[in-house]
Amino acid sequence: MTALSPAEKLRIAFDLHETGRRMYLQTLRRKHRGLSEEQLEAKLLQWLLAPPGGENGDFPGPRSGRFA
């Protein structure tokens, strides 16, 4: 197996992000059937910028202080 180049790894990361974004947008459509696409996109952006439970990063618990 050939190692992936940094560009290939970045492309995969972008593809995974886009897939996750689309999946969460679909979840929002089901939960909030009366909202417009613009309102749903606003909810998606809000979630991306401040996900519930992610106040201290992706891992639950106190901040480590390593990246202060």
Side-chain angles (χ1 to χ4, degrees), residues 37-61:
E37 282 299 307
E38 187 175 277
Q39 291 170 315
L40 291 168
E41 286 285 346
K43 282 193 168 292
L44 172 67
L45 182 59
Q46 180 184 6
W47 179 77
L48 285 170
L49 293 174
E55 295 80 13
N56 294 322
D58 290 336
F59 189 79

Side-chain angles (χ1 to χ4, degrees), residues 4-67:
L4 297 174
S5 72
E8 291 169 320
K9 290 178 182 179
L10 185 59
R11 175 77 281 169
I12 290 169
F14 284 146
D15 289 346
L16 288 170
H17 173 79
E18 180 60 19
T19 299
R21 193 190 75 76
R22 287 180 183 182
M23 290 173 66
Y24 192 69
L25 195 53
Q26 190 61 34
T27 297
L28 290 173
R29 283 186 187 109
R30 284 193 304 271
K31 288 171 107 174
H32 306 283
R33 294 187 185 272
L35 296 183
S36 69
E37 282 299 307
E38 187 175 277
Q39 291 170 315
L40 291 168
E41 286 285 346
K43 282 193 168 292
L44 172 67
L45 182 59
Q46 180 184 6
W47 179 77
L48 285 170
L49 293 174
E55 295 80 13
N56 294 322
D58 290 336
F59 189 79
R63 286 186 176 270
S64 71
R66 290 187 334 187
F67 304 107

